[in-house]
Amino acid sequence: MSLFKTMNVTCPACGQATTMEAVGSVNADRRPDLRDAILANTFQEVTCEHCAEKFRLEPEFNYLDVGRGLWIAALPGREMLDFREAEPQARDTYDTAYGKDAPAEAQTVGEGLTPRVTFGWQGAREKILLAEHGLEDAIVEISKLELMRHIDEAPVGAEIELRLYDVGEDTLTYLFLNMMTEETLDEVQAPRTLYNEISEKRDAYADLLGRLTDSVFVDIRKLYMDDGAPQEEAA
């Protein structure tokens, strides 16, 4: 089931406390409307009771979609720099619920799940979007690298992320975003054939695929991190 708890949150505009239902877990099989709200960027959005400012609570919940084979530990974007600590914690949570430490019946469910950890709303949204369209996340991450090779002045920084945002029949739309503010910095469109070509030639990308999928955090940004160095230093 999907779990929520009532809590007071501080409005970033006026500093007053407002009440909302904060999510602890989402079961998208039983509540597809919550999946739709995440994709629409409206999930966990709250309007301040005092000044009417709209803001969004940081993601910190587990997401389950058995039908699409996806489990996510969705964490705040500000924790991304500590992804090396978050990875094993997310893996342990998954193993207890559906992996090697779970009851036999739950392990059966887990056989059809791909566990992931994400940081920030757009990180979680992207994984859900990929599952919706049957796209492989590691191939999408390599597609991003290929795209960035051909962008002369791609935005860079510890808070900058490149996310697949929309899937068309022939075109995939990517956005450069500020992970903390969700501000769109640039838009890039790529032919879907780029994804298809990388998928068909996966043997040529075996080393890179191995590095991307060596943990539940499948994201090109971890390739930019060298002993904890911010992205702009390691890029």
Side-chain angles (χ1 to χ4, degrees):
M1 68 173 61
S2 299
L3 299 176
F4 293 82
K5 64 179 179 180
T6 302
M7 65 180 295
N8 291 326
V9 294
T10 302
C11 173
C14 70
Q16 297 294 313
T18 194
T19 303
M20 71 171 297
E21 293 297 309
V23 67
S25 65
V26 168
N27 185 320
D29 299 285
R30 297 183 179 181
R31 292 288 307 272
D33 58 308
L34 301 183
R35 176 179 61 237
D36 293 343
I38 294 173
L39 292 172
N41 292 314
T42 59
F43 187 56
Q44 293 288 269
E45 186 177 73
V46 60
T47 300
C48 178
E49 302 165 353
H50 305 280
C51 69
E53 175 79 6
K54 287 187 177 181
F55 60 98
R56 203 172 182 190
L57 193 66
E58 291 182 308
E60 194 162 9
F61 62 97
N62 294 332
Y63 176 93
L64 174 66
D65 190 337
V66 175
R68 290 165 176 78
L70 182 62
W71 180 94
I72 301 173
L75 302 176
R78 56 185 164 78
E79 296 185 12
M80 192 275 292
L81 291 178
D82 297 321
F83 75 89
R84 290 179 183 83
E85 297 178 8
E87 284 176 323
Q89 293 173 0
R91 184 77 223 192
D92 287 347
T93 300
Y94 173 79
D95 283 342
T96 300
Y98 298 102
K100 61 183 180 63
D101 300 324
E105 185 175 346
Q107 287 190 36
T108 300
V109 174
E111 290 174 358
L113 296 176
T114 298
R116 292 291 184 255
V117 60
T118 61
F119 300 92
W121 279 114
Q122 296 309 315
R125 180 189 183 277
E126 182 181 59
K127 298 299 184 189
I128 294 168
L129 180 69
L130 298 183
E132 190 87 3
H133 292 276
L135 298 176
E136 186 178 346
D137 59 354
I139 299 297
V140 168
E141 295 303 310
I142 295 176
S143 300
K144 295 176 186 179
L145 290 173
E146 293 292 344
L147 282 174
M148 292 173 69
R149 288 176 55 195
H150 297 91
I151 299 175
D152 293 333
E153 297 183 0
V156 295
E159 296 181 354
I160 306 304
E161 57 184 357
L162 179 60
R163 293 294 176 198
L164 178 61
Y165 197 79
D166 189 48
V167 177
E169 184 176 351
D170 301 313
T171 304
L172 302 182
T173 300
Y174 295 82
L175 298 181
F176 281 100
L177 301 160
N178 183 305
M179 180 173 58
M180 304 307 295
T181 66
E182 298 191 23
E183 175 189 3
T184 298
L185 304 174
D186 201 359
E187 177 179 314
V188 181
Q189 291 191 331
R192 188 154 182 165
T193 52
L194 174 62
Y195 172 91
N196 295 337
E197 289 171 2
I198 293 172
S199 181
E200 291 169 1
K201 299 176 181 177
R202 63 176 56 242
D203 288 347
Y205 295 94
D207 180 67
L208 191 52
L209 283 169
R211 293 170 62 193
L212 282 167
T213 59
D214 63 357
S215 72
V216 293
F217 182 44
V218 178
D219 193 302
I220 57 172
R221 287 178 299 168
K222 75 178 182 181
L223 305 180
Y224 301 153
M225 311 299 283
D226 181 18
D227 295 328
Q231 178 174 333
E232 62 265 32
E233 295 178 12

